Amino acid sequence: MTDHTRFAGHAVLVTGAGRGIGAAVARRLAEEGGRVLVSDRDLPEAERTASGLRQLGLTAEALACDVADRTSVEAAVAHTVAAFGPLDVLVNCAAHCTPDVPLFEDDPDEAWARDLDITLTGVHRCCRAALPHLVASGRGAIVSIGSVNGLQDCGNHAYSAAKAGLASLTRTLAGHAAARGCRVNLVVPGTVRTSAWEGRDDDLDALRPLYPLGRVGEPEDIAAAVAFLASRDAAWITGTTLVVDGGLTAVNTGFHTAVRHP
């Protein structure tokens, strides 16, 4: 059962919240009492998410935010503080993934740089802008969204490298921020049914047997993990990577299938 009080009075900033995991996170934290700034580079998507939350009687505003731009990030943090008071929670969901070219040696510099700039450096920008406010709140928490791509080969060189980098940034920032009263953690999803998979139900069905729990993830699965790590229930957890992947990286289903006997 959802605790409707865990984030009561908390000011929350969620990046990449226009749809998918980010939108589910914004809804979960708002349902638990948070006052949420729904930020996204796509303002109409952010407004649609925020409007839907307000229709449920929840507190949410929308703002355009491009995590690749320092001024935009700082404006989003300032807007959250002005609208809702001291910032308590930052959730970094914004990311960018460029499909790989057939040959690695043909990979263009621009694609590599863009994926890292949004997926990894974008989180750095957001944490840098938010940290003084999170410290000042006295109960600050940062949760970023990683990927199993950062743990094993799932393709997408630049995106995977950026997601792997988030695990390191989480640890180093957690060490820096702990004495200042702010916790920093990472959630690592497996395959999640989002708009990125729209029209690819056959692919999702093909992936299902790889997951020991028998299904791919839903955005709400990830939102639940984020809510836990951002809440007082995780008050003694920082610098951790929580893998939420239905058992994908823990169990070698291909091996088990290969050696199974009648």
Side-chain angles (χ1 to χ4, degrees), residues 42-240:
D42 187 333
L43 181 57
E45 290 278 4
E47 290 176 333
R48 183 159 38 250
T49 297
S51 175
L53 296 180
R54 289 194 297 270
Q55 289 173 16
L56 296 172
L58 306 174
T59 303
E61 291 188 13
L63 186 74
C65 177
D66 181 358
V67 300
D69 180 79
R70 180 172 184 170
T71 299
S72 182
V73 167
E74 291 174 347
V77 171
H79 187 102
T80 308
V81 173
F84 302 134
L87 181 63
D88 299 295
V89 178
L90 167 67
V91 184
N92 296 300
C93 297
H96 190 272
C97 181
T98 303
D100 287 335
V101 294
L103 293 177
F104 181 80
E105 56 267 35
D106 294 332
D107 199 24
D109 286 354
E110 296 77 16
W112 175 272
R114 182 162 180 77
D115 280 12
L116 264 67
D117 190 38
I118 295 174
T119 308
L120 177 58
T121 308
V123 172
H124 171 268
R125 291 187 186 98
C126 292
C127 292
R128 180 178 57 193
L131 188 58
H133 300 279
L134 295 165
V135 169
S137 82
R139 55 187 181 189
I142 297 171
V143 183
S144 300
I145 304 299
S147 171
V148 292
N149 283 57
L151 302 178
Q152 63 182 32
D153 175 23
C154 297
N156 302 116
H157 306 295
Y159 174 81
S160 298
K163 290 296 190 181
L166 285 179
S168 178
L169 178 60
T170 295
R171 291 188 294 269
T172 57
L173 184 54
H176 172 81
R180 302 168 69 184
C182 180
R183 299 180 300 104
V184 187
N185 291 292
L186 182 71
V187 173
V188 171
T191 304
V192 177
R193 191 188 307 275
T194 67
S195 59
W197 293 92
E198 188 172 351
R200 300 175 62 189
D201 288 344
D202 288 347
D203 289 336
L204 291 176
D205 287 341
L207 288 172
R208 221 164 21 109
L210 300 179
Y211 285 86
L213 289 180
R215 65 176 177 88
V216 299
E218 302 293 339
E220 292 74 19
D221 294 317
I222 310 309
V226 170
F228 165 65
L229 287 175
S231 78
R232 60 180 177 268
D233 291 331
W236 208 48
I237 300 175
T238 196
T240 197

